[in-house]
């Protein structure tokens, strides 16, 4: 596990080589381009794939090496780029994530646990799941330098946005080998307090 005082600086889009260097527990600062999508947008992405015969060319952005942030930001106030932008509970995307990972998505940002199907897809194709701090949406929004709705604007706050971020703070919760910080933490706690 990496020292939290010296986070790894990574750039999105996120290459497979970069994904493989990350380990559960690593603190990271992401800069570059990420996309927003919650469950309604994920459903539409999968429908677009199905209507295009399963190829990513039918999607509103290139899924290869993409990082998707599970967020539905609040409306921005005058002079702001975006409103509060805290993470959504990730299991809501679990039905859709394996398909997108198989097409080349390499990163996901959210909060909470993931299904075994998502973890298996991450291990098979090379992807990483980052956790962002729930309840800190106003602080996280300060790391977002630009926001542009690129698809499904009828979904309002859940439309797909292209974000440019700088030093967006996350922690690797599940790495591409399937190591899960929730499990690691639970085992460390049990060992520390000698719980059987």
């Amino acid at each position: 596990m990496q020292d939290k005082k010296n986070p790894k600086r990574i750039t999105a889009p996120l290459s497979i080589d970069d994904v493989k260097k990350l380990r559960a527990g690593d603190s990271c600062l992401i800069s570059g381009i990420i996309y927003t999508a919650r469950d309604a947008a994920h459903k539409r992405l999968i429908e677009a794939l199905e209507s295009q015969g399963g190829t990513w060319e039918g999607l509103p952005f290139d899924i290869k090496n993409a990082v998707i942030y599970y967020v539905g930001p609040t409306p921005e106030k005058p002079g702001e780029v975006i409103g509060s932008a805290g993470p959504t509970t990730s299991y809501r995307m679990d039905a859709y994530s394996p398909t997108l990972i198989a097409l080349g998505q390499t990163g996901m940002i959210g909060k909470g646990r993931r299904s075994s199907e998502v973890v298996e897809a991450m291990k098979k194709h090379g992807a990483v799941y980052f956790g962002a701090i729930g309840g800190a949406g106003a602080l996280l929004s300060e790391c977002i330098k630009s926001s542009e709705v690129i698809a499904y604007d009828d979904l309002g706050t859940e439309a797909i946005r292209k974000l440019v971020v700088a030093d967006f703070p996350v922690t690797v919760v599940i790495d591409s080998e399937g190591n899960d910080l929730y499990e690691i933490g639970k085992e460390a706690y049990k060992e520390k307090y000698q719980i059987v």
Side-chain angles (χ1 to χ4, degrees):
M1 198 176 301
Q2 187 213 351
D3 178 6
K4 292 190 185 320
K5 293 181 182 176
N6 296 301
K8 291 185 176 180
R9 294 184 177 275
I10 57 178
T11 303
L14 189 60
S15 73
I16 291 288
D17 288 339
D18 288 335
V19 165
K20 290 183 178 180
K21 294 174 188 171
L22 299 172
R23 295 289 171 260
D26 285 351
S27 293
C28 301
L29 296 173
I30 302 175
S31 294
I33 295 171
I34 64 175
Y35 299 92
T36 70
R38 286 182 26 163
D39 40 326
H42 272 74
K43 182 175 187 281
R44 288 203 190 166
L45 288 172
I46 298 304
E47 289 169 350
L49 282 170
E50 290 169 353
S51 71
Q52 294 288 326
T55 61
W56 63 264
E57 288 88 352
L59 299 181
F61 61 93
D62 186 352
I63 197 71
K64 186 169 175 53
N65 298 334
V67 175
I68 298 179
Y69 182 25
Y70 305 149
V71 62
T74 62
E76 68 274 9
K77 294 177 183 170
E80 292 182 338
V81 170
I82 198 167
S84 182
T88 296
T89 304
S90 301
Y91 77 82
R92 295 167 59 179
M93 276 52 73
D94 281 2
Y96 314 110
S97 293
T99 300
L100 298 176
I101 292 167
L103 287 173
Q105 178 186 353
T106 52
M108 301 159 282
I109 305 170
K111 65 180 180 181
R113 303 206 63 172
R114 303 309 302 267
S115 70
S116 59
E117 292 81 10
V118 173
V119 176
E120 286 307 310
M122 291 169 62
K123 289 163 56 177
K124 181 177 180 181
H125 301 287
V128 65
Y129 170 53
F130 299 103
I133 300 172
L139 292 173
L140 291 172
S141 67
E142 293 177 9
C143 301
I144 300 170
K145 304 308 174 188
S146 73
S147 171
E148 174 191 4
V149 173
I150 61 167
Y152 315 143
D153 58 347
D154 62 301
L155 293 178
T157 190
E158 294 196 39
I160 293 181
R161 289 173 170 77
K162 177 181 178 181
L163 305 180
V164 175
V165 297
D167 293 339
F168 190 92
V170 294
T171 300
V172 177
V173 175
I174 305 173
D175 62 31
S176 61
E177 296 178 0
N179 299 306
D180 185 332
L181 192 57
Y182 288 111
E183 291 301 321
I184 293 167
K186 184 168 64 173
E187 292 306 313
Y189 180 87
K190 287 164 70 175
E191 183 176 318
K192 180 176 180 179
Y193 295 102
Q194 300 176 350
I195 298 171
V196 179

